[in-house]
Amino acid sequence: MFDFVRKHTRVMQFLLFLLIFPSFVLFGLEGYNRFKDKGEPVAKVDGREILRSELDAAHKREIDRMRQQMPTLDPKLLDAPEARYNTLETLVRDRVLAAAADQSKLIISDQRLESALRQDPMIASLRGPDGRLDMARYRQLVGAQGMSPEMYESQVRADLSARQVIAGVGGTAFAPASQANVALNAVFERREIQVALFSTAEYLGKVTPTNAELESFYKGNPGMFQAPEQASIEYVVLDLDAVKKGLPVNEQDLKTYYEQNASRGSGAEERRASHILVSVPKSAPAAEHDKAKAKAQTLLAEVKKQPDSFAAVAKKNSEDPGSAPNGGDLDFFARGAMTKPFEDAVFAMKKGEISDLVESEFGFHIIKLTDIKAPKQRSFEEMKPELESEMKKQLAQRKFAESADTFSNSVYEQADSLKPVADKLKLEIHTAANVTRQPATGATGVLANPKFLSALFAPDSVEKKRNTEAVETGPSQLAAGRITQYAAARTLPFAEVKDRVRERVVAARGAELARKEGALKLAAWKASPASASLSPALVVSRQDAQKQPTAVIEAALRADPGALPAWAGVDLGAAGYAVVKVSKIVPREPPTPQVATQERNQYTQWWANAESMAYFNLLKERFKVQFKIERPPAQPLEQTTTQ
């Protein structure tokens, strides 16, 4: 047959083409399209795209790094949309600086790289006394970050080049003391103010909207009264427990494991001993040491001659105040409880035997072994459940990587159902209803994982009801899901949300009344300052707001110092309105020379950061940075006020 293949190569090529091409047409295009979906660009720098897969990999590395540094950090914070966008900005920054370094021909020499690696404390710890690097441990260290030594060193080169780009700007920043003092005095400046607060809450009782007004507000603001999109889903989870379920344990293997670990379940042997101590410090002069040894030898000869007198001799002569009153008895103890020379002697003796002199840091001991408590051996049947669980756990840890590959490939290749992967890996298909894009209150497990929910509500999953990719939802845990029913966000009926509409209208009208009243009072008090009804005078600054809203502090500090006293009206949004009278400037207390120096240094650093950021923004324009995804909206902070 092989001769036929060799002689008819062109015929075989044509046959293979006929076999392979239809497969590509039927399956390859679909796989290619799925690949493109996974690899959509999320940003572009200098004409080169950053793909979503690159962002996912970079964000996973960032999560792993943060988990190592702060193990107790809430995982939801690590995988929030804002955190992912921060990772994307870091990727873009690295690409911009790399492009600038390449354009400026900033090359890192081998000597500079070696110097940087020598200064790395993690790598320095891998060097032996002779200064040589332990290459095996070095590969293990960088391998934990998913890199080879060559990849790691290439990254270090890139980082050093990027630092050179910014160092030329930030490293030459300069701020004269006069300029720094003016800016710092403005930052730390204090002002004496009086405030009148017109709180929305005080005007709510004056608002009585009609049904027509409520309906008009409802129709004009449908986005305020929407039910979020919801889905019914099914999902599977692969973790160590799931892998363990499908692992049979051979009885003979269990027995072998029992024989290897039987001593672990039987406890430690304990021995009971008595001793006579003739104490002498190690630092004692030679004459004192010899005198103590001679005394111990005399006592040893006495108890060797009459073993039954050991307790009486110990009570009379032992210099161990803890055991002497009990005839030298130390009760039962296991290995590790006594100083090593003493322990070695005891566990080498036979019951009833009296030792020769044993020297320790405490002096000279004469020891009598009085009893031996052998450990109780647990039977195979007693230890079987424990051993089976341990064996399954060890097997599961070894098998998880293989199962994870099967899991990832199966949910991707058979994207219209989770049943194939569930059958293949013996996983349970879970279901859930009313699942939303954000974790529901009280949600647990993968349903509380923002990354999994984000994958569920991705366009491909919603529109085509395809499986999500395998999502890492925890250490040694993967999940995949698919939407079975989807309900888009919808505006709730007026009757259902009428009370909420009323609350919104009343709050908005109350705030409006507060603003009108505040504006009228401001005009009146400007015309007749003596008629103003204001709070007692307060001295405020950016460092000490005296419980005043931030907007009030900013308005007070923006007032023209050349036109005091000054009046200002401050719109506090939903909280109401404030009228502020700025009476005078209160100079800051002069800092000590040490503090003044620290402040000027800090100001110079701020100036350097500002110049570096301005230069970086210029580089972003030069290399035509484009973000293909929008920045997640910032979480609104509720503004609070205190009267």
Side-chain angles (χ1 to χ4, degrees):
M1 180 176 177
F2 293 111
D3 289 337
F4 176 82
V5 173
R6 281 194 295 270
K7 292 176 182 178
H8 301 84
T9 305
R10 289 187 175 276
V11 175
M12 292 303 297
Q13 288 176 343
F14 179 71
L15 289 173
L16 288 171
F17 175 78
L18 290 177
L19 290 171
I20 293 171
F21 183 73
S23 303
F24 175 77
V25 171
L26 291 173
F27 303 107
L29 289 177
E30 175 67 13
Y32 175 72
N33 289 333
R34 294 293 304 278
F35 174 78
K36 282 186 69 179
D37 290 344
K38 275 187 83 176
E40 63 177 321
V42 291
K44 193 173 184 179
V45 178
D46 197 25
R48 295 176 56 204
E49 292 178 335
I50 298 176
L51 303 180
R52 184 172 293 278
S53 57
E54 295 177 88
L55 172 59
D56 291 341
H59 192 58
K60 182 180 182 302
R61 289 194 297 272
E62 181 65 12
I63 287 175
D64 291 342
R65 184 183 69 82
M66 294 295 290
R67 279 177 177 165
Q68 288 177 356
Q69 291 182 353
M70 295 177 283
T72 59
L73 189 65
D74 186 350
K76 293 180 183 178
L77 296 177
L78 297 175
D79 212 27
E82 295 88 344
R84 289 179 62 80
Y85 199 85
N86 288 342
T87 301
L88 176 59
E89 289 185 316
T90 301
L91 272 178
V92 167
R93 178 183 176 278
D94 291 346
R95 291 285 178 90
V96 168
L97 296 179
D102 185 58
Q103 188 180 76
S104 301
K105 309 299 182 189
L106 297 177
I107 300 171
I108 301 301
S109 66
D110 291 342
Q111 292 80 4
R112 177 74 181 88
L113 173 64
E114 184 179 357
S115 174
L117 293 175
R118 283 186 178 277
Q119 293 172 19
D120 188 323
M122 287 194 303
I123 296 176
S125 67
L126 305 180
R127 295 188 182 278
D130 58 356
R132 292 187 178 181
L133 185 65
D134 186 332
M135 289 304 297
R137 291 174 62 199
Y138 177 48
R139 289 191 184 91
Q140 184 180 10
L141 175 68
V142 298
Q145 303 175 47
M147 292 185 282
S148 65
E150 293 76 17
M151 291 167 63
Y152 179 75
E153 289 160 15
S154 175
Q155 179 178 300
V156 173
R157 282 185 192 273
D159 290 344
L160 292 172
S161 296
R163 286 181 207 169
Q164 285 185 313
V165 172
I166 293 295
V169 176
T172 57
F174 171 71
S178 56
Q179 175 185 320
N181 289 336
V182 170
L184 290 168
N185 286 337
V187 169
F188 295 113
E189 186 177 84
R190 299 182 295 168
R191 297 198 172 186
E192 183 180 278
I193 67 170
Q194 291 174 281
V195 181
L197 182 64
F198 298 86
S199 172
T200 298
E202 297 174 6
Y203 296 86
L204 297 180
K206 300 178 181 180
V207 181
T208 54
T210 64
N211 281 336
E213 289 173 326
L214 295 180
E215 288 189 21
S216 176
F217 185 85
Y218 167 77
K219 290 175 182 176
N221 300 276
M224 292 183 180
F225 310 105
Q226 285 201 330
E229 59 183 334
Q230 293 183 343
S232 295
I233 69 164
E234 56 184 25
Y235 63 98
V236 288
V237 179
L238 177 72
D239 54 17
L240 291 179
D241 288 337
V243 175
K244 278 195 289 187
K245 288 179 184 176
L247 290 175
V249 178
N250 184 282
E251 185 83 4
Q252 186 55 49
D253 291 340
L254 264 182
K255 288 182 178 177
T256 303
Y257 190 60
Y258 167 76
E259 291 167 2
Q260 293 170 346
N261 295 273
S263 60
R264 192 189 64 196
S266 59
E269 177 185 313
E270 293 184 348
R271 296 198 167 199
R272 187 170 191 169
S274 299
H275 80 135
I276 300 168
L277 172 65
V278 178
S279 62
V280 59
K282 272 198 169 184
S283 57
E288 187 178 338
H289 181 272
D290 292 343
K291 181 180 178 182
K293 185 175 183 180
K295 178 181 177 182
Q297 286 175 331
T298 301
L299 295 173
L300 175 63
E302 184 178 344
V303 295
K304 286 273 190 181
K305 187 175 181 181
Q306 294 182 321
D308 293 340
S309 68
F310 192 95
V313 173
K315 187 176 290 190
K316 182 179 179 182
N317 298 283
S318 180
E319 296 172 6
D320 175 10
S323 65
N326 300 320
D329 182 34
L330 298 170
D331 209 342
F332 283 99
F333 55 88
R335 283 190 179 273
M338 300 293 181
T339 187
K340 193 171 187 312
F342 189 97
E343 177 186 288
D344 289 344
V346 167
F347 281 87
M349 295 168 64
K350 296 177 181 177
K351 185 176 178 179
E353 188 178 358
I354 296 175
S355 71
D356 291 328
L357 293 186
V358 176
E359 186 175 4
S360 76
E361 64 267 34
F362 303 105
F364 293 97
H365 306 264
I366 304 167
I367 307 169
K368 181 177 183 180
L369 184 63
T370 56
D371 204 354
I372 298 175
K373 188 186 290 184
K376 181 185 176 183
Q377 180 69 45
R378 291 168 65 193
S379 68
F380 171 70
E381 293 302 325
E382 288 176 318
M383 292 187 68
K384 184 176 179 181
E386 177 186 331
L387 297 175
E388 187 171 8
S389 175
E390 287 183 11
M391 274 197 74
K392 280 191 172 184
K393 184 176 180 180
Q394 292 175 12
L395 291 171
Q397 288 171 336
R398 289 198 289 268
K399 190 175 176 59
F400 181 80
E402 176 188 334
S403 299
D405 285 341
T406 302
F407 184 87
S408 301
N409 293 335
S410 296
V411 298
Y412 175 72
E413 292 167 357
Q414 297 171 292
D416 58 349
S417 174
L418 293 172
K419 191 173 185 306
V421 71
D423 291 344
K424 190 177 295 184
L425 295 174
K426 296 181 174 58
L427 303 176
E428 180 182 354
I429 298 179
H430 305 274
T431 60
N434 302 322
V435 177
T436 58
R437 193 179 288 267
Q438 298 300 324
T441 303
T444 58
V446 299
L447 296 180
N449 186 281
K451 188 175 180 181
F452 177 68
L453 295 176
S454 177
L456 268 176
F457 285 92
D460 199 42
S461 300
V462 171
E463 295 166 11
K464 301 176 183 177
K465 303 292 191 294
R466 283 176 168 162
N467 299 341
T468 68
E469 62 183 351
V471 179
E472 185 179 12
T473 52
S476 299
Q477 186 183 73
L478 296 175
R482 62 186 299 270
I483 290 177
T484 54
Q485 273 190 314
Y486 175 78
R490 61 187 178 89
T491 302
L492 295 168
F494 175 71
E496 193 175 324
V497 295
K498 185 176 179 180
D499 290 341
R500 286 167 54 191
V501 175
R502 183 184 299 278
E503 287 177 8
R504 294 268 187 169
V505 171
V506 169
R509 297 277 180 82
E512 185 180 348
L513 289 175
R515 283 192 294 272
K516 285 182 178 179
E517 180 73 12
L520 289 172
K521 291 293 186 184
L522 174 61
W525 293 343
K526 277 184 176 181
S528 177
S531 65
S533 177
L534 301 167
S535 70
L538 301 168
V539 176
V540 298
S541 67
R542 288 185 175 88
Q543 289 69 45
D544 185 5
Q546 295 278 14
K547 300 183 180 179
Q548 295 300 314
T550 302
V552 168
I553 303 302
E554 291 301 321
L557 293 171
R558 281 198 302 269
D560 183 358
L564 299 182
W567 294 83
V570 184
D571 187 348
L572 299 177
Y577 193 83
V579 174
V580 183
K581 179 185 178 183
V582 184
S583 303
K584 61 181 180 181
I585 294 174
V586 181
R588 65 177 299 212
E589 295 179 3
T592 64
Q594 182 180 3
V595 171
T597 301
Q598 290 174 349
E599 289 176 354
R600 282 196 293 272
N601 290 340
Q602 181 65 65
Y603 178 79
T604 302
Q605 185 60 52
W606 291 340
W607 190 260
N609 291 342
E611 288 191 342
S612 297
M613 182 55 67
Y615 180 58
F616 176 66
N617 288 332
L618 181 65
L619 291 176
K620 285 170 67 176
E621 292 180 14
R622 181 184 299 172
F623 295 109
K624 298 180 174 58
V625 170
Q626 298 176 21
F627 285 89
K628 303 288 188 179
I629 57 177
E630 293 184 5
R631 177 187 294 276
Q635 294 297 321
L637 296 174
E638 293 186 4
Q639 189 172 17
T640 59
T641 60
T642 304
Q643 295 190 53

